[in-house]
Amino acid sequence: MSETGSLIRSLSGRRAARNFHTFVINEIGHAIVTGQFAIGSVLASDAVMMEQYGVSRTVLREALKTLEAKGLVEARPKVGTRVSPRSRWNYFDPQLLAWHFDAPADQAFYQSLFRVRTLMETPMVELAALHRTAEQVRLLKYWVHQMETAGDSIEQFGLACLEVHAVIADAGHDLLLRSVLGVVELTLALALTRDKALAGAAYREQSAVLFNQLTRAIEGGKPSDAAAVLAQIRGLDQGQFA
């Protein structure tokens, strides 16, 4: 599983150290999602992939099992490992979502991401406004301040923004709604990098202003106000895709 924030960290060129197992998963999964391995195609034989990735048969087989669990491939006797249709992919898997960062632009997919954000974030922030603790409010203020002081660091700004979403998710006490964080991270990473002119100081300043308003609404125990501000934040992010 991909750690929350790993996609944002990669924007600065920093890559987390990987063992052989996760390396193979990332190489094959990324190739599938970005279209290098076409839907319905059969992957190379074990011997070829072992040579290509420099791993043992055991490591390769375990990696393919993980990819199969994500819905990306299916092993068939006498056929080999075939790339599955997109309808079988587990789109709530954070790692699978992160691989879409490098995929060709797809407006229908982007619209779906924001529909999911709306459906899951709205009740989440409303619950957060009802159940937040003083410590969670303190954390919200701290991370919003980190957004305000990030300067030109897209990584620092993005990580601080994602932490705000994570605190809100924790405050909402709903484990299923918390799974939206992978969607949030992908849309945020794309919004910060799609157009450097758009993702500049003005965008970040406006985001920080809205997150300050959101924090005040949550601190004040106002779920409807919090939901309204969060809708503005989504709209700002989505505007980067126009």
Side-chain angles (χ1 to χ4, degrees):
M1 180 179 290
S2 179
E3 179 187 355
T4 301
S6 59
L7 174 57
I8 298 293
R9 291 187 185 92
S10 74
L11 299 182
S12 65
R14 258 196 312 140
R15 296 285 181 178
R18 290 188 169 95
N19 58 34
F20 287 123
H21 178 251
T22 55
F23 167 75
V24 176
I25 292 170
N26 187 69
E27 290 294 301
I28 299 176
H30 183 273
I32 291 172
V33 172
T34 57
Q36 297 174 57
F37 295 160
I39 300 297
S41 65
V42 177
L43 299 183
S45 67
D46 285 3
V48 170
M49 287 195 288
M50 287 162 58
E51 175 69 22
Q52 180 179 355
Y53 301 119
V55 296
S56 67
R57 187 180 301 274
T58 299
V59 170
L60 177 63
R61 289 288 176 86
E62 287 301 315
L64 291 175
K65 285 181 182 179
T66 300
L67 291 168
E68 190 166 13
K70 295 176 186 289
L72 289 174
V73 299
E74 180 182 6
R76 296 182 178 180
K78 299 182 180 180
V79 174
T81 302
R82 187 183 298 276
V83 178
S84 301
R86 288 185 176 85
S87 59
R88 298 184 183 177
W89 296 5
N90 177 13
Y91 278 95
F92 278 99
D93 183 284
Q95 193 172 28
L96 191 150
L97 283 170
W99 290 328
H100 277 84
F101 180 77
D102 295 317
D106 184 341
Q107 290 301 321
F109 178 65
Y110 297 154
Q111 291 171 7
S112 180
L113 289 173
F114 282 100
R115 276 195 295 271
V116 169
R117 277 189 61 172
T118 299
L119 290 170
M120 298 181 73
E121 278 190 320
T122 301
M124 186 174 71
V125 77
E126 290 174 341
L127 288 168
L130 294 173
H131 302 297
R132 77 280 180 265
T133 65
E135 175 62 12
Q136 286 164 338
V137 171
R138 185 193 70 80
L139 286 172
L140 288 175
K141 292 179 178 179
Y142 171 80
W143 287 116
V144 170
H145 178 68
Q146 293 301 305
M147 291 173 63
E148 294 172 329
T149 58
D152 293 329
S153 173
I154 291 178
E155 179 185 1
Q156 181 180 329
F157 177 89
L159 287 173
C161 183
L162 190 60
E163 288 291 347
V164 173
H165 285 282
V167 174
I168 291 171
D170 289 340
H173 297 293
D174 191 307
L175 296 178
L176 290 180
L177 291 179
R178 199 182 194 285
S179 63
V180 77
L181 287 178
V183 175
V184 171
E185 182 171 7
L186 175 58
T187 54
L188 179 60
L190 288 168
L192 285 168
T193 57
R194 279 181 62 83
D195 188 322
K196 291 183 179 179
L198 289 174
Y203 166 74
R204 295 195 295 272
E205 288 173 8
Q206 192 172 355
S207 292
V209 168
L210 288 172
F211 273 101
N212 262 310
Q213 294 176 9
L214 179 62
T215 297
R216 289 197 295 271
I218 292 173
E219 182 178 23
K222 300 176 180 179
S224 59
D225 289 355
V229 176
L230 191 60
Q232 294 182 61
I233 292 171
R234 276 196 307 271
L236 182 63
D237 289 347
Q238 194 166 10
Q240 300 292 85
F241 294 76

